Amino acid sequence: MKSNILKGIICTAICATTGNVVYSQNAPVKPAAAVVAGIPVNYDEAKVGTYTLPDVLMLKNGKKVTDKQTWLSQRRPEIVKLFEEYQFGEMPPKPAALSFNIFDKGTPVFNGEVIRKQVTVYFTKDTSAHKMDILLYLPAKATKPVPLILMLSFSPNSSMAVDDPGVKQGVSWDKNGKKSPAPKTGLGRLGKDDIERFTANGFAVATIYYGDIEPDFKLGYQVGIRGYYLKPGQQVPADNEWGAISAWAWGLSRAMDYLETDKQINTKRVALQGVSRLAKTVLWAGAHDTRFKMVIESCAGEGGGALSRRNYGENIAHMTDTSRYYYQFAPNWHKYANDFNASLVDAHMLVALMAPRYLLMQTGTTDLWSDPHGEFLAAVAAQPVYNLFGLQGPGTANWPDGGDASLAYNPLGYYMHVGGHGNIPSDWDIYLNYVKKYL
């Protein structure tokens, strides 16, 4: 293991009131937990176990994929179905009653350099519930449709670190299922400087609060969008039906439905960005919905970018324990908690679903729980699919040190900052360079 993996200058905490990711410079790294949910946690590379990854290019009929057309028309749909059935759960199609209310059609902000727009997306005919707000910032001087970075956030739009009193006050859910008006705390991770670094370069930025789509707690489905789709007499989602991550990903696709009606946005050039469980979400959303050109995932970890067959850090047993995040996945995935190798899917297959589109996987040296090495190995194992399109990923390169951006700017990019879970200020420069190159 890299010598710098136990070093860190950044630690991450979760704000108890809003669920925001908060960073503290030069704080000590907390000792890694040895047991979670009564299940031991392994941080020893020598004890990850032996495993053989499913062949990402092997069709169900036993034939090998050797060209990009076969990948796109046959193998890719097979893998999507496997993830729907066994990990994330099947989602409903675009609702017939979908509608949009552009209640802020364009307001100059930030000294007139940026235009703010706000939209409510209604998922159902009942416009009092099952809806989400999209907050958009566009470069004021744009003369043609602009590319967009769409961020899925832990914070309501009005709780972002943006001094913009015109943002509609949303609602916030806590982990106990309590709903309240969103505080204008400014604790969200998206600040004015973050917005302007993109808008100054010709990109729009948008943000959505994931709790608008479905609250993030065990019984959140009862008040979220999944509850609306329960069949008569059905009390819980079926074993192969969507978990919360699929619900949030479904919401991102509904955002794209709106964007396709917005003449100010170039919908052929939309990137998704998310952190932690929302990194899993944007990775699944991009894998499932090919309208998204790019995904930037930050520390997606287990159930996202890190190989599940590696028993390192969080594993399927921890993730799907009913005391933790069972509700975020299709119940079927819990069936592999005692035998990771039996799963029909793994992270390299999810990563490969982005081909030939663009994916940047960002991790952290001290984020052992999320297995940054496992994310790198998933990218390596997905490389054969990118090869079909003549696109570069990590190839045969060695796992890079923290702060080494030599693999970041490939179509299948990997970058590990020196620090912990989530993104740090310097990561935004990596993101900007990546979107400037490919979006």
Side-chain angles (χ1 to χ4, degrees), residues 220-432:
Y221 71 91
Q222 294 180 346
V223 291
I225 192 61
R226 288 189 295 157
Y228 176 80
Y229 278 95
L230 289 175
K231 300 177 181 65
Q234 186 179 8
Q235 299 299 313
V236 296
D239 285 355
N240 66 339
E241 289 183 335
W242 50 346
I245 286 174
S246 267
W248 302 325
W250 181 89
L252 290 173
S253 289
R254 305 293 71 82
M256 178 59 95
D257 293 335
Y258 160 72
L259 293 170
E260 288 181 328
T261 72
D262 190 327
K263 294 181 180 180
Q264 291 181 287
I265 302 298
N266 184 342
T267 52
K268 301 298 183 184
R269 302 171 63 192
V270 176
L272 294 174
Q273 194 273 336
V275 175
S276 193
R277 69 195 63 181
L278 303 187
K280 305 181 208 303
T281 301
V282 297
L283 186 51
W284 174 228
H288 192 270
D289 189 339
T290 58
R291 292 178 295 175
F292 296 109
K293 184 178 181 180
M294 177 186 293
V295 167
I296 300 173
E297 64 94 338
S298 174
C299 301
E302 178 61 54
L307 293 175
S308 293
R309 280 165 169 73
R310 274 173 54 86
N311 182 20
Y312 189 98
E314 188 173 27
N315 59 37
I316 297 177
H318 299 120
M319 178 64 75
T320 66
D321 189 87
T322 53
S323 69
R324 300 188 72 244
Y325 302 124
Y326 177 89
Y327 66 92
Q328 293 183 1
F329 301 89
N332 271 336
W333 204 40
H334 180 66
K335 297 175 182 179
Y336 304 107
N338 296 319
D339 186 358
F340 312 150
N341 285 287
S343 175
L344 299 179
V345 295
D346 213 321
H348 68 302
M349 300 164 72
L350 185 59
V351 170
L353 289 176
M354 282 300 299
R357 294 165 297 135
Y358 301 96
L359 172 62
L360 174 59
M361 305 171 72
Q362 174 258 302
T363 66
T365 56
T366 60
D367 188 16
L368 307 186
W369 179 244
S370 297
D371 191 9
H373 193 193
E375 289 214 22
F376 173 75
L377 294 174
V380 171
Q383 177 72 65
V385 178
Y386 276 78
N387 287 344
L388 295 176
F389 298 90
L391 297 174
Q392 185 62 48
T396 58
N398 292 325
W399 184 30
D401 290 319
D404 179 352
S406 61
L407 299 179
Y409 302 119
N410 292 322
L412 173 53
Y414 176 89
Y415 173 70
M416 180 170 60
H417 66 224
V418 178
H421 190 66
N423 48 35
I424 62 177
S426 60
D427 292 334
W428 291 98
D429 294 323
I430 299 290
Y431 300 166
L432 177 59

Side-chain angles (χ1 to χ4, degrees), residues 82-333:
L82 289 173
F83 275 104
E84 288 177 333
E85 182 73 17
Y86 297 107
Q87 182 167 328
F88 295 113
E90 296 179 0
M91 307 179 227
K94 174 183 175 180
L98 191 71
S99 63
F100 317 115
N101 176 27
I102 308 169
F103 62 89
D104 182 354
K105 299 184 185 301
T107 303
V109 294
F110 309 158
N111 298 317
E113 295 295 319
V114 177
I115 299 298
R116 182 193 67 230
K117 292 180 71 173
Q118 299 181 82
V119 182
T120 299
V121 177
Y122 294 102
F123 302 139
T124 69
K125 290 181 180 180
D126 178 7
T127 56
S128 65
H130 303 306
K131 60 189 178 184
M132 68 181 180
D133 288 335
I134 308 175
L135 171 64
L136 300 100
Y137 290 103
L138 302 95
K141 297 179 182 179
T143 58
K144 60 182 181 180
V146 294
L148 170 74
I149 297 91
L150 175 57
M151 302 177 180
L152 189 60
S153 176
F154 289 106
S155 302
N157 296 339
S158 56
S159 298
M160 288 294 173
V162 179
D163 185 15
D164 183 359
V167 176
K168 173 188 171 183
Q169 184 177 24
V171 297
S172 179
W173 293 89
D174 67 18
K175 298 299 181 183
N176 297 314
K178 182 180 179 181
K179 182 180 180 180
S180 58
K184 292 202 172 186
T185 58
L187 289 176
R189 63 189 177 87
L190 186 64
K192 177 176 178 290
D193 290 343
D194 298 320
I195 292 168
E196 290 188 309
R197 81 172 73 202
F198 287 100
T199 56
N201 282 277
F203 298 96
V205 175
T207 182
I208 295 170
Y209 172 47
Y210 78 141
D212 278 359
I213 305 165
E214 179 157 306
D216 184 9
F217 55 91
K218 292 179 185 178
L219 299 180
Y221 71 91
Q222 294 180 346
V223 291
I225 192 61
R226 288 189 295 157
Y228 176 80
Y229 278 95
L230 289 175
K231 300 177 181 65
Q234 186 179 8
Q235 299 299 313
V236 296
D239 285 355
N240 66 339
E241 289 183 335
W242 50 346
I245 286 174
S246 267
W248 302 325
W250 181 89
L252 290 173
S253 289
R254 305 293 71 82
M256 178 59 95
D257 293 335
Y258 160 72
L259 293 170
E260 288 181 328
T261 72
D262 190 327
K263 294 181 180 180
Q264 291 181 287
I265 302 298
N266 184 342
T267 52
K268 301 298 183 184
R269 302 171 63 192
V270 176
L272 294 174
Q273 194 273 336
V275 175
S276 193
R277 69 195 63 181
L278 303 187
K280 305 181 208 303
T281 301
V282 297
L283 186 51
W284 174 228
H288 192 270
D289 189 339
T290 58
R291 292 178 295 175
F292 296 109
K293 184 178 181 180
M294 177 186 293
V295 167
I296 300 173
E297 64 94 338
S298 174
C299 301
E302 178 61 54
L307 293 175
S308 293
R309 280 165 169 73
R310 274 173 54 86
N311 182 20
Y312 189 98
E314 188 173 27
N315 59 37
I316 297 177
H318 299 120
M319 178 64 75
T320 66
D321 189 87
T322 53
S323 69
R324 300 188 72 244
Y325 302 124
Y326 177 89
Y327 66 92
Q328 293 183 1
F329 301 89
N332 271 336
W333 204 40

Side-chain angles (χ1 to χ4, degrees), residues 8-120:
I9 59 171
I10 307 280
C11 80
T12 306
I14 301 297
C15 176
T17 57
T18 65
N20 301 321
V21 180
V22 180
Y23 300 95
S24 174
Q25 296 283 350
N26 301 317
V29 177
K30 294 181 180 179
V35 177
V36 172
I39 304 164
V41 185
N42 174 54
Y43 294 111
D44 185 346
E45 285 282 348
K47 297 178 180 178
V48 298
T50 58
Y51 59 87
T52 300
L53 295 176
D55 189 336
V56 71
L57 290 177
M58 186 66 72
L59 291 163
K60 288 173 64 176
N61 63 13
K63 294 182 178 180
K64 192 81 168 183
V65 175
T66 59
D67 62 272
K68 57 188 179 183
Q69 186 55 46
T70 304
W71 165 259
L72 292 171
S73 65
Q74 296 185 50
R75 182 55 174 157
R76 189 185 185 285
E78 285 183 355
I79 295 175
V80 170
K81 289 292 186 183
L82 289 173
F83 275 104
E84 288 177 333
E85 182 73 17
Y86 297 107
Q87 182 167 328
F88 295 113
E90 296 179 0
M91 307 179 227
K94 174 183 175 180
L98 191 71
S99 63
F100 317 115
N101 176 27
I102 308 169
F103 62 89
D104 182 354
K105 299 184 185 301
T107 303
V109 294
F110 309 158
N111 298 317
E113 295 295 319
V114 177
I115 299 298
R116 182 193 67 230
K117 292 180 71 173
Q118 299 181 82
V119 182
T120 299

